[in-house]
Amino acid sequence: MSDTIRFLGTGGGRVSVANQLRRSGGTLFEVKDTKVLLDPGPGCMVCLADVEPKIDPQSINGAILSHCHIDHSNDVNILIDAMTVGGRRTRGTLFATADSLRGDGSVVLSYVQPFLSDIVDLEPLSSYQVDDFKFQTSARHSHPHETYGLIIPHELGRLGYVVDTKATDEVIDSYSGCDALVMNVVLSESIVLPPGVRGATPRHLTIESAAAVLEKVRPRRAVITHFGATVIEMGPERVARDIATRSGIPVIAAEDGMILSFGELLE
Ligand SMILES: [Zn+2]
């Protein structure tokens, strides 16, 4: 079978995930016989069980947490438990940011960590491998908490996966040379919180900034995913068309359960 990317869930951000406007189970890469799950968010285990044929967690070789936010990491503990049969089979590799693994902000329970064969800290602009799946990290994203996107150097070309971030020059430059880009487009437009409202201004891609990323990187095609409520309200297809018109790059709106081959994206 050809190498694929399966969008288990395409929802992102608080309102979208809280109301399950789209599923939020993350993204599964299958390269040769290696399966790697990026960002097992809420409902990941349901998504794995709910496809035909079911995906056996014991067939998953590794997981990646791009950052610790709950829509990216909620199911990581049960996933590790399931991958390792509650620790009875030591196996699997977890790649995660240091703040996801240790200290007050840790999201990976200390008792499941020894179940894994290997735990690897993600660093900026570094190369990693688990079995047949190789990837590099981007520059550190502009997002609350340590966050990295991926660049996958496949035999057909380079696939970039731009997770949550504001589009800064340093972040965008680290994806240069990518032949296809998947992008988390959480917002339709940037939000400025009114005075007195608690919290920081969200640092996410918008229609405008996603188009700016594509204009700079110039991949052959792009996929948008991880939609927040404003994008879902507008319609991800319409948002994809808008970004394509602005950038001149073909854009696909991911759907829950959608499987794309590396060939379709990179050739
Ligand atoms: Zn986030």
Side-chain angles (χ1 to χ4, degrees):
M1 206 180 96
S2 65
D3 300 337
T4 56
I5 302 168
R6 186 195 294 252
F7 295 91
L8 294 171
T10 57
R14 197 180 55 77
V15 177
S16 170
V17 172
N19 296 288
Q20 288 292 292
L21 302 179
R22 291 278 186 113
R23 287 188 168 197
S24 47
T27 304
L28 183 72
F29 300 103
E30 288 194 63
V31 173
K32 297 194 176 125
D33 285 327
T34 304
K35 293 192 185 80
V36 174
L37 215 159
L38 170 67
D39 290 344
C44 174
M45 301 310 293
V46 177
C47 294
L48 293 174
D50 214 20
V51 291
E52 193 54 55
K54 275 168 102 125
I55 298 163
D56 179 357
Q58 289 186 65
S59 71
I60 296 174
N61 306 68
I64 304 170
L65 292 187
S66 67
H67 63 299
C68 64
H69 281 159
I70 199 162
D71 51 335
H72 298 255
S73 69
N74 188 74
D75 276 14
V76 70
N77 293 297
I78 183 64
L79 177 68
I80 294 168
D81 189 87
M83 283 167 65
T84 63
V85 200
R88 267 177 281 171
R89 260 186 91 196
T90 305
R91 60 178 299 280
T93 303
L94 174 67
F95 301 89
T97 53
D99 66 354
S100 301
L101 294 168
R102 292 179 292 279
D104 290 347
S106 165
V107 294
V108 186
L109 294 169
S110 56
Y111 90 86
V112 304
Q113 295 197 19
F115 296 178
L116 293 155
S117 301
D118 214 357
I119 299 179
V120 181
D121 280 27
L122 293 176
E123 312 262 358
L125 306 171
S126 301
S127 297
Y128 302 91
Q129 182 166 3
V130 52
D131 300 310
D132 287 318
F133 184 80
K134 291 181 189 163
F135 69 99
Q136 294 153 8
T137 42
S138 66
R140 182 173 171 157
H141 277 197
S142 173
H143 195 59
H145 300 286
E146 192 179 359
T147 305
Y148 302 105
L150 314 181
I151 295 124
I152 300 162
H154 190 266
E155 58 196 20
L156 300 173
R158 290 168 73 77
L159 174 76
Y161 202 117
V162 187
V163 299
D164 297 3
T165 192
K166 208 174 128 185
T168 66
D169 287 342
E170 192 195 356
V171 171
I172 300 171
D173 287 348
S174 67
Y175 292 93
S176 71
C178 283
D179 301 292
L181 276 189
V182 180
M183 298 187 294
N184 285 359
V185 179
V186 179
L187 302 173
S188 55
E189 54 187 17
S190 48
I191 295 170
V192 179
L193 297 179
V197 173
R198 273 182 63 194
T201 301
R203 284 187 260 164
H204 282 297
L205 292 181
T206 60
I207 292 171
E208 191 181 339
S209 65
V213 171
L214 294 182
E215 277 174 51
K216 268 199 146 182
V217 179
R218 310 291 315 162
R220 284 200 277 282
R221 53 186 67 79
V223 182
I224 57 170
T225 184
H226 206 66
F227 308 124
T230 57
V231 173
I232 292 170
E233 209 170 285
M234 275 183 78
E237 297 283 345
R238 190 178 139 204
V239 168
R241 278 197 302 275
D242 193 348
I243 296 170
T245 306
R246 289 168 189 242
S247 64
I249 307 284
V251 180
I252 300 163
E255 290 168 26
D256 289 351
M258 178 185 267
I259 301 173
L260 296 171
S261 71
F262 278 76
E264 291 172 79
L265 290 172
L266 294 168
E267 278 178 336

